[in-house]
Amino acid sequence: MNDVSWPIVLVVLAVLFSFVVVGLRQKLKESVEYGFGGRYTGRVGGGAAIASNWMSAASLMGLAGVFYLKGYQALAYVVGWTGGYVLLLVLLASQIRRFGKFTAPDFVGERYGSPAARLIAAVVSVLISVIYCTAQFKGIGLIVSFMLGVDYTRGVCIGALAVVSYLVLSGILGVPRNQQLLYGVIAVSFIAPLMWLSGKLGYFWLLPQFGYGVAMQELASRFHVEFAAPFTRDTLFDWCALCFTLMVGTAGLPHVLSRFYTVPNIRDARWGVVWGLFFIALIYWSAPAFAVFGKLLELRQGVTLAPEAARNAADLIVLRTAAAAGLPGWLIGVLAAGAMSAAFFTVAGLLMTGAASVSYDIYYSILNPRASESSRMRMAKGATLVLAALVLILALNPWGGIAEITALAFALAGNTIFPLFLLGIWWGRANDDGAIAGMLTGIVCTFAQPVFGWLFPMAAVIFPLTSSALFGAPLVILVMILVSLATPAPPERMRNFLEQEVHGTLD
Amino acid sequence: MDGKKTGYQVNLFRPQKGRMRDQVLIIFVILFGWGAVNFGFQALVALSQGSKLGALLTGRTFFTLPLHFWFTGQFLPLWFIILGVFFNLYIDGITDHHNRKRDRSYE
């Protein structure tokens, strides 16, 4: 570790430590009013909680990275990750709350009345958590390698150890997560350095989200780099397939849906989604600027990376740009701390979601219904460690950039959980056989490219790995409808419940 | 979960009269605005390449950014927020309206 690294490391450690201190103080001050996703804080606070729950290494590092590589094509991520909240808001948010279950497999098990459907949903939830966590581990590993000057493999191992230790420490101390504070830290740590960077490069610093347009013009006129050129690297189909996949994936991610299961007030929950979308958009309006400034700095300094080197460097473009522009070490530390916090807490949430699926939805609900609370707790702790180890193994040899890895999790959620929730809420005739057939079809669609692509080249074209839900989700819905119609209807009590409780009650 | 039987089966395309029908109507309006503006604009940009319209979309700048880039990267997230606000205001309105009418036949 060199002299420049020290301020970065110190700021990162200070920020992570401050979350523990603030959490402990909050725990001492407030003895009641904690819901599933944190204490109740109204519409704006709820929105900040939704945004902080959403922010991850993919948003703070991966988005700028993919924009650095692909330019306009990467806007599919911006649009997909924001547009998905519209689907969630209008189709699912209120109804999920009225249904009254706690996890995605819980909902599936109850709505479709099938242990098998519940088991498959639990396995899918765990898979989504593992894939999503792999992207976060990659982000953490890259930040650690950047801070400490070690190679990526060592960075991932140190980062994994740190995140699991943090998780265990937080668990032992019972530290509640202050999601409003987390969003505040993430937003300030991302936007303040960008303003500084924009000012330092001579662009409009007050609103760098608009100021980087001039940098794009310089890139185009002076260096012939066309970030804004549409559909040059990929086609309209590629763009739409990726965007649609990310949208339905957003509305199907178990840890995103979990925000709505137990909110105290449905009306505030709806408005919270809109506030959350605004807070998320603030970050997404900013992310491309880092990539543009990074590319410009590279070219001004005469650095031209080969495609392979650019791919390897892309996910660190935010931090590399800050360092290349000569930002003070403490400010780079602030930037790293925001990304690290987002990745840390996303991993913590996902590992707990995955572990809950293993201990509650698989072990307790299906394998051993008589299991005591202590044995379920042991199972959850063991599952957390096993999942973390599995994620570490995958993260040592990641198959793509942070955003691309994350997109696979979205594709799986969009092909499985989203259709199940959509039909489960909006079609009383959907039954367990349809749900099982739909989920299995969704899994096949998601992994069609790597598994069947060599045998059936069309499978790779129709179901690209990160963008399979454009055809996958409608196909799953069709399969669910056909299988449901061909098999007995769900119990009448469930149809009545949907009509009277889920759709019949007023906010 | 047991309630009185009405014979109705929940179906997005056959909503019940009253609040559900109002809600489904606004859902379809929002989904149309969501899909048409987003995917429709991308199709327009792709299909108009090489034409005067294409030159207008990609050549003009807005807030220093190329128009099509600004529209996709900055306006569309804002558009989704606007759709969300519109949806919530409408749902709040119909909820209050049906609350006043005491349209609670399920009770």
Side-chain angles (χ1 to χ4, degrees):
Chain A
M1 203 160 76
N2 55 42
D3 289 346
V4 182
S5 300
W6 277 110
I8 303 174
V9 174
L10 286 176
V11 172
V12 170
L13 289 177
V15 169
L16 290 174
F17 183 68
S18 72
F19 282 114
V20 177
V21 174
V22 170
L24 284 174
R25 281 192 62 184
Q26 188 177 300
K27 187 183 169 192
L28 289 173
K29 279 172 75 177
E30 300 168 13
S31 56
V32 288
E33 289 190 29
Y34 281 95
F36 185 80
R39 89 199 140 105
Y40 180 65
T41 49
R43 293 176 180 181
V44 181
I50 286 171
S52 77
N53 187 47
W54 172 260
M55 288 300 157
S56 69
S59 299
L60 299 176
M61 298 170 70
L63 188 56
V66 78
F67 190 80
Y68 170 82
L69 291 174
K70 296 187 173 181
Y72 186 85
Q73 183 70 16
L75 292 183
Y77 285 91
V78 173
V79 177
W81 281 340
T82 49
Y85 275 92
V86 177
L87 287 181
L88 190 57
L89 173 67
V90 303
L91 291 170
L92 304 178
S94 307
Q95 290 79 11
I96 289 174
R97 170 63 185 83
R98 293 194 197 107
F99 203 96
K101 290 293 155 188
F102 297 96
T103 64
D106 217 11
F107 171 88
V108 171
E110 183 67 28
R111 165 62 183 85
Y112 294 102
S114 160
R118 184 193 194 115
L119 177 66
I120 298 170
V123 171
V124 167
S125 290
V126 173
L127 257 177
I128 289 169
S129 291
V130 166
I131 296 168
Y132 211 104
C133 272
T134 302
Q136 308 311 312
F137 267 42
K138 183 178 181 188
I140 292 169
L142 286 171
I143 296 172
V144 172
S145 66
F146 176 83
M147 286 193 309
L148 304 182
V150 297
D151 62 41
Y152 171 72
T153 302
R154 204 173 292 181
V156 172
C157 292
I158 296 170
L161 191 65
V163 77
V164 171
S165 306
Y166 195 81
L167 195 59
V168 171
L169 180 71
S170 302
I172 290 170
L173 297 174
V175 182
R177 186 170 18 157
N178 186 321
Q179 293 188 299
Q180 289 75 32
L181 174 71
L182 178 59
Y183 179 76
V185 168
I186 289 171
V188 170
S189 70
F190 199 66
I191 295 172
L194 180 63
M195 292 169 82
W196 192 302
L197 184 64
S198 193
K200 198 167 168 63
L201 294 177
Y203 299 112
F204 182 46
W205 65 271
L206 207 55
L207 280 173
Q209 293 83 357
F210 296 116
Y212 75 92
V214 182
M216 280 176 71
Q217 289 166 18
E218 185 182 336
L219 273 172
S221 60
R222 197 171 147 199
F223 300 107
H224 307 292
V225 175
E226 295 281 358
F227 263 118
F231 312 120
T232 49
R233 295 172 178 86
D234 295 292
T235 63
L236 174 66
F237 169 77
D238 295 329
W239 199 99
C240 292
L242 177 60
C243 183
F244 184 81
T245 298
L246 298 174
M247 284 171 160
V248 292
T250 300
L253 276 182
H255 77 282
V256 172
L257 291 168
S258 71
R259 292 257 8 133
F260 303 100
Y261 296 133
T262 53
V263 282
N265 180 319
I266 293 176
R267 195 176 282 213
D268 284 0
R270 277 194 283 104
W271 282 103
V273 174
V274 178
W275 276 107
L277 189 49
F278 171 71
F279 291 135
I280 291 166
L282 273 182
I283 301 294
Y284 288 0
W285 283 322
S286 311
F290 277 106
V292 171
F293 291 149
K295 191 76 180 175
L296 187 62
L297 279 169
E298 270 179 16
L299 294 173
R300 278 184 184 176
Q301 292 164 2
V303 178
T304 309
L305 296 177
E308 185 61 30
R311 264 195 297 280
N312 292 332
D315 282 329
L316 264 178
I317 190 68
V318 170
L319 292 173
R320 278 181 41 237
T321 302
L327 260 59
W330 65 268
L331 196 57
I332 301 173
V334 167
L335 192 54
M340 190 68 119
S341 307
F344 255 56
F345 287 109
T346 303
V347 166
L350 287 170
L351 286 181
M352 283 194 281
T353 303
S357 287
V358 172
S359 74
Y360 183 72
D361 297 310
I362 297 175
Y363 177 66
Y364 177 62
S365 300
I366 294 167
L367 298 178
N368 185 9
R370 279 189 250 168
S372 65
E373 198 166 324
S374 61
S375 71
R376 275 154 49 197
M377 190 59 79
R378 275 199 303 278
M379 177 61 74
K381 287 176 182 170
T384 305
L385 293 177
V386 170
L387 290 178
L390 182 60
V391 170
L392 175 61
I393 292 167
L394 290 171
L396 286 171
N397 290 299
W399 60 88
I402 292 173
E404 290 164 327
I405 298 170
T406 313
L408 178 59
F410 280 77
L412 183 56
N415 284 329
T416 53
I417 306 287
F418 176 73
L420 241 67
F421 271 69
L422 182 68
L423 291 190
I425 284 169
W426 285 105
W427 192 42
R429 185 64 177 76
N431 68 9
D432 55 341
D433 295 314
I436 291 168
M439 276 191 287
L440 294 177
T441 307
I443 294 169
V444 171
C445 291
T446 306
F447 299 104
Q449 183 185 339
V451 177
F452 307 111
W454 59 278
L455 191 60
F456 306 107
M458 269 311 281
V461 176
I462 297 172
F463 303 112
L465 189 59
T466 56
S467 317
S468 53
L470 181 63
F471 288 118
L475 179 65
V476 170
I477 289 170
L478 184 66
V479 166
M480 282 185 71
I481 291 172
L482 293 178
V483 174
S484 294
L485 288 175
T487 48
E492 195 167 311
R493 68 176 181 85
M494 176 49 68
R495 284 184 283 164
N496 289 339
F497 176 72
L498 277 180
E499 180 204 343
Q500 291 161 16
E501 300 298 326
V502 178
H503 292 284
T505 53
L506 298 170
D507 289 357
Chain B
M1 257 188 216
D2 295 319
K4 66 177 180 182
K5 296 172 191 174
T6 61
Y8 172 72
Q9 182 170 276
V10 170
N11 188 329
L12 183 63
F13 297 99
R14 275 189 234 143
Q16 251 178 336
K17 270 185 185 173
R19 182 181 176 274
M20 190 178 178
R21 188 167 289 183
D22 291 343
Q23 188 185 4
V24 167
L25 176 70
I26 189 66
I27 287 174
F28 281 127
V29 169
I30 296 287
L31 288 180
F32 178 78
W34 167 85
V37 175
N38 173 29
F39 297 109
F41 182 76
Q42 303 313 317
L44 185 69
V45 170
L47 296 174
S48 67
Q49 280 183 321
S51 70
K52 277 184 182 173
L53 179 63
L56 181 80
L57 289 172
T58 56
R60 287 284 177 94
T61 57
F62 192 72
F63 284 117
T64 75
L65 294 163
L67 185 58
H68 72 292
F69 186 94
W70 172 82
F71 189 94
T72 304
Q74 302 200 330
F75 175 73
L76 283 178
L78 181 64
W79 175 240
F80 297 141
I81 295 169
I82 293 167
L83 287 178
V85 170
F86 182 68
F87 176 78
N88 278 344
L89 288 175
Y90 192 89
I91 292 291
D92 285 353
I94 59 171
T95 301
D96 293 342
H97 172 73
H98 288 287
N99 262 332
R100 279 195 299 275
K101 280 176 66 179
R102 302 293 299 160
D103 179 19
R104 294 182 165 216
S105 52
Y106 55 88
E107 284 179 342

